[in-house]
Amino acid sequence: MAFASSISSPSYSLTNLSSKPNKILTPARKIHSFSLVPRPSASGVGYALQLQGMDSLNFNPFASVASADALLDEAVEKAHLPKGDAWSIHKFGGTCVGNSERILTVANIIVKDVSERKLVVVSAMSKVTDMMYDLIYKAQSRDDSYIIALDAVLEKHKSTAVDLLEGDDLSNFLDRLHQDINNLKAMLRAIYIAGHATESFSDFVVGHGELWSAELLSAVVRKSGLECNCMDTRDVLVVNPTTSNQVDPDYLESGRRLEKWCSQNSCDTIIATGFIASTPQNIPTTLKRDGSDFSAAIMGALFMARQVTIWTDVDGVYSADPRKVSEAVILKKLSYQEAWEMSYFGANVLHPRTIIPVMKYGIPIVIRNIFNLSAPGTMICQPAGLENEDGEQVESPVKGFATIDNLALVNVEGTGMAGVPGTASAIFGAVKDVGANVIMISQASSEHSVCFAVPEMEVKAVAAALESRFRQALDAGRLSQIAVIHNCSILAAVGQKMASTPGVSATLFNALAKANINVRAIAQGCSEYNITVVVKREDCIRALRAVHSRFYLSRTTIAMGIIGPGLIGGTLLDQLRDQAAILKEKFNIDLRVMGITGSRTMLLSDTGIDLSIWRDLKKEKGEKADLQRFVQNVHGNHFIPNTVIVDCTADSYVASHYHDWLRRGIHVITPNKKANSGPLEQYLKLRTLQRQSYTHYFYEATVGAGLPIISTLQGLLETGDKILQIEGIFSGTLSYIFNNFVEARTFSEVVEAAKQAGYTEPDPRDDLSGTDVARKVIILARESGMKLELSDIPVQSLVPEPLKDSSSVEEFLQQLPQYNQDLAKQRQEAEASGEVLRYVGVVDVVKQKGTVELRRYKKEHPFAQLSGSDNIIAFSTQRYEKQPLIVRGPGAGAEVTAGGVFSDILRLASYLGAPS
């Protein structure tokens, strides 16, 4: 079969492994010839196991870009192989080919790709690379269990092949697999005897995972009906090892070998091994960290492909680690520079070196999720802003945030450093000598100190090296200290548009300040592509969430606390539940209820309460009510830029906290009349604070439930109109009573019916006393500029004097019929004059007084035309003197009152920047 001979393991000789005569092992297939001779190595057996972050002192991914570009240009120019947009490059990682089912999925993707030509780079099956490294570790440790571990490798591939292949395809693959396993046993035995594995030995052993994976996939693709060839990239890719566990591709030689390979293996579909390559001496090696991605990028550049697609197990590149920030979003596009910055700072993107080959020719890289084919993924390409339909740039200046944990900050400080050439060189030379990786460097222009971040596990050696190097300067006082700050983390904000957007730093540091995060060090390059800060490790996640929310959450994301989940509050929560998704989708208004509290129990959340089950949650997870803790939970979430407390109670104690909440930057919305009708001094203090701050206090529902009474009055005053009088039926209960107090019905009968219908308070005397109407009158009077106390309003009570002290509601209702005669007489007198009785509140701005009383109105008067529990308010002003401005509608009931509160919440969102 074609695939059986398309990939081969190199032949090798093992020498000087023991005192016994050399044993030459010769596999049946041969492409490379080299000698593996154990010798001391700086990296030793830990070569592969010790792969760590880049040493920023020694590694600059763009340092050799110029020479690499020249070689790449020459390689592409000299190559005669077909190239260009016809080629599509795919790379499938180990998770993508982790089992037989996934390999079938990959084969299906390849077959369905409509590209004219395609090259597929494939990694070893999931966990196989680790298993291969473990074989080497056990063998050199003289642990006999390496034999069992190798059998596990064999079984994994054998069972997968049995699932996928049949007939000659299966037998040929298994023959090759058993040959390779036998050869590996011999090599591992040699390592076991020597107790040591060279880098070449390790690379040779580990590379088998990719060989087997490519053979399996190519056989499955052919079985699907698509002809393909299998490429052992050790025949094509040539790299030169460098320091810091990196390699530099030899593009010119690789181009020559690729052209030769293609001339001998003409095919429109190629399955290629990732991760592995050869040295110029034809010794197998690897491309080190993220080598398969690098393989795909190099091939993409050599073929000048249309696109390189990296298939993985995530939907794309996130704006932050979704395990730490639940609101993290998939980024649709990243520039090459942004991807490089984010990957360096630990984001799950690509290794920076992967970007270099494709960047030269502007070849886009697309990150796709093999487990979610409907997700478009993230495209890494030349900078291009996202635009709306009008072509306006709408892209955030900050693309993403990344963090690095477990760091220590080293601070070298002293007056003797200023103006002394070579100090920084000496510092970082000492750091280099101990092999430490410097993550970030910061120095003030005074040159008084230099601080830098290194991994926590390396800081002890770094500090010792610096103290040894600068012992004389420390003793002489030229350096004052070499200090180490442990338990640090780095937070980096990345975005190419940061360079042209003023205020990004201000927004970033403002978000950290509001989250009470102390910044220990700062670094920003002149490119302005990233801003890096060092914070305490325990503050890192909080800092990440705070800055992410400031840049990515809607400006109208509002943390809400609902006090009083009774009739009105409960109805409001249900309205929020029904509308939340629509508001977020259409108007970008994100309302999150972070707490609900009653007088006895409260329910708190850090992310937002599920309003579809809030009643059940309150019963199951409710805790003892504590207003201070409640407010702290709602306002203490520094990841949401705005906070509002919604007071749905009628409680004076809750209202007494409004001033403090507003002072702390918490917006307040309420239907509670107690604050605006309470002591005048407290009211004036509250309104003064409101006007002097950017914190909002809305109370529309205090007067007319859902009717726009307060906003109408404010609109008149703000536009320069002068209020003469406000007159109205402000009580829905009393409106209902007098609308039905007609013909032969007695007053007590109507009151009883109103109570049975749910229009009155539990004790009807609370309505009949007129106190509630008086509070509404005082609120409107004060809104009109009048400085009145509640006690200044004369109130005509409808509760007979002897019944005010009745011991119970039942006793009151039983005795009320005794007093029907007085109101019946007033009704008869009014009817005789063609009038009706109405209980009204009046604000007389001209005479600077207010009253609450029972008045008579002609049947043609608007107040006489009411029905049910409607309210009506008439504004007489200079503009509306002859014909008052009238507002009429339902003025009582949980639905309309909650609707009025909801309207205030949306008004707040509009003030905060929501689209109209």
Side-chain angles (χ1 to χ4, degrees):
M1 301 299 292
F3 88 94
S5 60
S6 59
I7 294 186
S8 59
S9 297
S11 62
Y12 49 84
S13 63
L14 305 176
T15 60
N16 300 327
L17 298 179
S18 67
S19 57
K20 297 180 181 180
N22 293 342
K23 180 179 181 181
I24 307 299
L25 303 176
T26 307
R29 39 203 167 111
K30 174 181 178 182
I31 289 183
H32 307 280
S33 294
F34 64 99
S35 176
L36 296 176
V37 182
R39 60 183 185 278
S41 168
S43 58
V45 296
Y47 162 73
L49 302 175
Q50 295 171 2
L51 287 178
Q52 296 182 15
M54 295 164 291
D55 185 338
S56 57
L57 291 176
N58 300 318
F59 172 63
N60 179 350
F62 297 109
S64 59
V65 168
S67 60
D69 283 351
L71 287 172
L72 185 52
D73 284 341
E74 188 177 351
V76 171
E77 288 173 5
K78 290 187 175 182
H80 299 295
L81 55 92
K83 59 183 182 292
D85 287 349
W87 282 98
S88 176
I89 310 296
H90 294 268
K91 178 265 175 178
F92 294 94
T95 306
C96 300
V97 291
N99 55 43
S100 55
E101 181 180 352
R102 293 178 184 176
I103 292 174
L104 284 172
T105 300
V106 169
N108 191 46
I109 291 173
I110 296 169
V111 172
K112 288 185 177 181
D113 182 4
V114 296
S115 301
E116 185 179 342
R117 295 185 174 94
K118 47 208 166 191
L119 181 139
V120 179
V121 175
V122 63
S123 299
M125 292 179 68
S126 179
K127 306 299 182 184
V128 167
T129 300
D130 290 340
M131 294 170 75
M132 302 301 281
Y133 279 130
D134 186 55
L135 290 174
I136 298 166
Y137 177 77
K138 287 180 175 179
Q140 69 178 359
S141 301
R142 291 175 174 157
D143 181 348
D144 291 331
S145 65
Y146 78 86
I147 299 173
I148 298 174
L150 184 59
D151 289 340
V153 173
L154 169 64
E155 183 56 35
K156 181 180 182 72
H157 291 85
K158 181 179 178 180
S159 61
T160 304
V162 170
D163 287 343
L164 295 171
L165 306 177
E166 55 189 19
D168 291 341
D169 288 344
L170 176 60
S171 61
N172 288 334
F173 176 80
L174 293 180
D175 287 346
R176 296 284 301 280
L177 178 64
H178 283 290
Q179 276 187 23
D180 290 341
I181 292 295
N182 289 333
N183 289 337
L184 285 173
K185 280 183 179 179
M187 177 168 282
L188 291 169
R189 176 62 181 169
I191 294 173
Y192 178 93
I193 294 170
H196 181 75
T198 66
E199 184 174 315
S200 298
F201 270 50
S202 297
D203 287 349
F204 174 75
V205 172
V206 170
H208 279 77
E210 277 69 23
L211 293 169
W212 297 327
S213 181
E215 289 180 356
L216 268 174
L217 180 59
S218 61
V220 175
V221 169
R222 276 192 296 272
K223 183 180 176 182
S224 301
L226 179 65
E227 187 59 36
C228 67
N229 281 341
C230 201
M231 175 191 287
D232 180 351
T233 49
R234 294 175 301 182
D235 296 337
V236 173
L237 296 185
V238 179
V239 297
N240 292 298
T242 65
T243 58
S244 306
N245 292 326
Q246 300 295 331
V247 294
D248 285 336
D250 184 336
Y251 289 104
L252 193 57
E253 180 60 27
S254 297
R256 292 193 190 102
R257 295 192 181 191
L258 177 61
E259 184 177 5
K260 179 181 178 181
W261 190 93
C262 288
S263 67
Q264 297 172 351
N265 301 273
S266 178
C267 192
D268 290 338
T269 301
I270 302 170
I271 311 296
T273 56
F275 186 54
I276 57 177
S278 293
T279 68
Q281 295 76 35
N282 289 328
I283 298 175
T285 187
T286 66
L287 299 183
K288 316 307 177 190
R289 178 186 172 191
D290 293 319
S292 294
D293 290 351
F294 199 12
S295 300
I298 295 169
M299 287 297 186
L302 291 174
F303 279 106
M304 295 187 70
R306 173 179 55 84
Q307 177 175 293
V308 175
T309 303
I310 307 293
W311 293 88
T312 180
D313 56 358
V314 293
D315 285 345
V317 181
Y318 283 87
S319 56
D321 188 339
R323 296 168 298 182
K324 299 176 181 178
V325 181
S326 59
E327 294 87 4
V329 299
I330 297 292
L331 301 174
K332 294 181 180 178
K333 285 188 179 180
L334 280 174
S335 71
Y336 296 118
Q337 289 81 3
E338 287 166 339
W340 141 248
E341 294 279 358
M342 290 185 69
S343 64
Y344 177 74
F345 285 101
N348 185 22
V349 190
L350 295 168
H351 191 280
R353 293 181 67 88
T354 303
I355 299 166
I356 298 172
V358 296
M359 185 169 62
K360 168 68 178 176
Y361 297 105
I363 301 169
I365 300 175
V366 179
I367 312 296
R368 294 284 306 276
N369 187 353
I370 194 170
F371 304 114
N372 183 13
L373 299 180
S374 62
T378 299
M379 177 176 285
I380 300 170
C381 56
Q382 298 286 10
L386 299 177
E387 298 180 349
N388 61 18
E389 292 179 357
D390 298 325
E392 298 175 354
Q393 297 292 323
V394 295
E395 189 179 61
S396 169
V398 177
K399 277 294 188 66
F401 300 90
T403 58
I404 303 177
D405 294 323
N406 301 317
L407 301 177
L409 201 60
V410 181
N411 185 45
V412 182
E413 185 176 311
T415 56
M417 295 173 58
V420 179
T423 303
S425 175
I427 292 171
F428 295 112
V431 175
K432 177 180 181 296
D433 290 343
V434 297
N437 179 21
V438 176
I439 308 296
M440 187 207 81
I441 304 170
S442 180
Q443 180 180 15
S445 59
S446 67
E447 301 183 53
H448 179 68
S449 66
V450 176
C451 70
F452 54 92
V454 297
E456 186 81 56
M457 61 187 297
E458 297 176 357
V459 72
K460 186 176 180 180
V462 169
L466 290 173
E467 288 176 359
S468 174
R469 173 65 180 80
F470 293 101
R471 173 51 53 199
Q472 184 177 354
L474 287 166
D475 292 342
R478 295 194 303 277
L479 288 186
S480 57
Q481 66 171 345
I482 297 173
V484 175
I485 303 174
H486 295 278
N487 300 318
C488 293
S489 292
I490 276 180
L491 167 64
V494 174
Q496 194 159 346
K497 287 188 176 294
M498 289 165 55
S500 57
T501 307
V504 174
S505 296
T507 303
L508 177 77
F509 290 112
N510 179 260
L512 292 172
K514 286 196 171 184
N516 199 29
I517 304 292
N518 181 44
V519 176
R520 289 176 161 173
I522 305 165
Q524 180 180 14
C526 62
S527 68
E528 299 184 60
Y529 289 167
N530 89 58
I531 301 172
T532 305
V533 298
V534 179
V535 299
K536 293 180 181 178
R537 185 168 60 193
E538 57 265 31
D539 291 340
C540 185
I541 293 179
R542 193 155 52 93
L544 177 62
R545 291 175 180 171
V547 296
H548 186 275
S549 67
R550 188 57 54 91
F551 285 96
Y552 268 94
L553 290 187
S554 162
R555 284 185 299 169
T556 48
T557 299
I558 303 175
M560 301 175 60
I562 309 296
I563 303 177
L567 189 58
I568 294 173
T571 304
L572 173 63
L573 286 165
D574 291 340
Q575 291 177 352
L576 288 168
R577 172 200 64 203
D578 296 339
Q579 284 295 112
I582 296 173
L583 290 171
K584 188 170 184 181
E585 179 181 351
K586 291 188 175 181
F587 301 101
N588 203 23
I589 298 173
D590 188 359
L591 304 177
R592 303 189 186 188
V593 177
M594 314 300 284
I596 302 171
T597 185
S599 58
R600 295 184 178 84
T601 61
M602 65 181 180
L603 176 64
L604 305 179
S605 171
D606 292 330
T607 57
I609 296 169
D610 183 351
L611 296 185
S612 65
I613 54 172
W614 71 267
R615 290 178 176 85
D616 294 333
L617 290 173
K618 191 168 181 288
K619 289 178 183 178
E620 297 169 5
K621 299 183 178 181
E623 49 191 294
K624 185 178 179 182
D626 182 329
L627 190 58
Q628 184 176 355
R629 273 193 61 218
F630 171 82
V631 173
Q632 178 59 37
N633 184 80
V634 175
H635 186 53
N637 191 323
H638 304 287
F639 322 127
I640 298 180
N642 310 291
T643 305
V644 60
I645 297 291
V646 182
D647 173 22
C648 295
T649 73
D651 191 272
S652 298
Y653 173 73
V654 176
S656 69
H657 290 79
Y658 292 177
H659 186 275
D660 178 60
W661 293 342
L662 290 169
R663 183 182 56 80
R664 293 166 59 185
I666 303 173
H667 308 289
V668 176
I669 293 173
T670 184
N672 186 348
K673 306 174 193 61
K674 297 298 173 65
N676 284 14
S677 63
L680 179 62
E681 182 181 357
Q682 294 182 16
Y683 167 81
L684 293 174
K685 184 180 176 183
L686 182 65
R687 294 305 304 275
T688 300
L689 175 63
Q690 177 198 4
R691 293 188 181 101
Q692 291 176 348
S693 69
Y694 289 97
T695 311
H696 299 286
Y697 172 43
F698 295 145
Y699 42 88
E700 183 70 76
T702 56
V703 175
L707 297 179
I709 307 302
I710 298 292
S711 58
T712 298
L713 175 56
Q714 290 175 340
L716 292 170
L717 292 169
E718 289 168 0
T719 57
D721 203 354
K722 184 176 180 181
I723 307 299
L724 303 176
Q725 178 177 284
I726 305 171
E727 183 181 14
I729 297 173
F730 294 104
S731 169
T733 301
L734 293 172
S735 176
Y736 176 86
I737 288 173
F738 283 98
N739 288 337
N740 289 276
F741 184 40
V742 293
E743 298 175 349
R745 298 189 71 180
T746 65
F747 184 73
S748 60
E749 287 175 351
V750 177
V751 171
E752 179 70 34
K755 186 178 188 303
Q756 294 299 323
Y759 284 112
T760 71
E761 295 292 335
D763 189 337
R765 286 173 292 184
D766 293 339
D767 298 297
L768 298 175
S769 68
T771 302
D772 184 66
V773 176
R775 289 190 180 278
K776 295 177 179 179
V777 168
I778 200 70
I779 289 171
L780 293 175
R782 290 174 175 178
E783 200 72 31
S784 301
M786 299 166 61
K787 296 183 179 179
L788 299 177
E789 294 281 6
L790 185 61
S791 58
D792 295 331
I793 307 295
V795 180
Q796 179 184 349
S797 174
L798 298 179
V799 181
E801 191 67 32
L803 300 186
K804 289 182 178 178
D805 297 324
S806 294
S807 60
S808 66
V809 175
E810 290 74 17
E811 182 182 340
F812 164 75
L813 292 174
Q814 287 174 1
Q815 296 182 17
L816 184 59
Q818 301 175 23
Y819 302 91
N820 283 333
Q821 187 176 358
D822 180 49
L823 281 173
K825 182 180 178 182
Q826 292 186 52
R827 180 182 65 186
Q828 290 171 2
E829 292 174 352
E831 289 176 346
S833 301
E835 297 174 330
V836 296
L837 296 176
R838 294 293 183 261
Y839 195 82
V840 298
V842 180
V843 177
D844 192 331
V845 180
V846 176
K847 295 181 180 179
Q848 292 287 293
K849 70 175 186 178
T851 57
V852 176
E853 60 188 5
L854 191 62
R855 286 188 177 184
R856 289 160 55 171
Y857 293 90
K858 291 292 183 181
K859 291 185 178 180
E860 298 80 20
H861 194 279
F863 285 18
Q865 309 299 315
L866 290 185
S867 61
S869 61
D870 279 4
N871 284 6
I872 187 168
I873 295 88
F875 294 92
S876 296
T877 73
Q878 283 186 339
R879 296 175 189 162
Y880 299 95
E881 186 173 4
K882 293 182 180 180
Q883 186 173 351
L885 173 64
I886 291 178
V887 178
R888 172 181 171 175
E895 287 289 338
V896 292
T897 304
V901 176
F902 199 168
S903 179
D904 270 348
I905 293 171
L906 297 182
R907 183 181 169 201
L908 172 63
S910 178
Y911 276 45
L912 295 173
S916 58

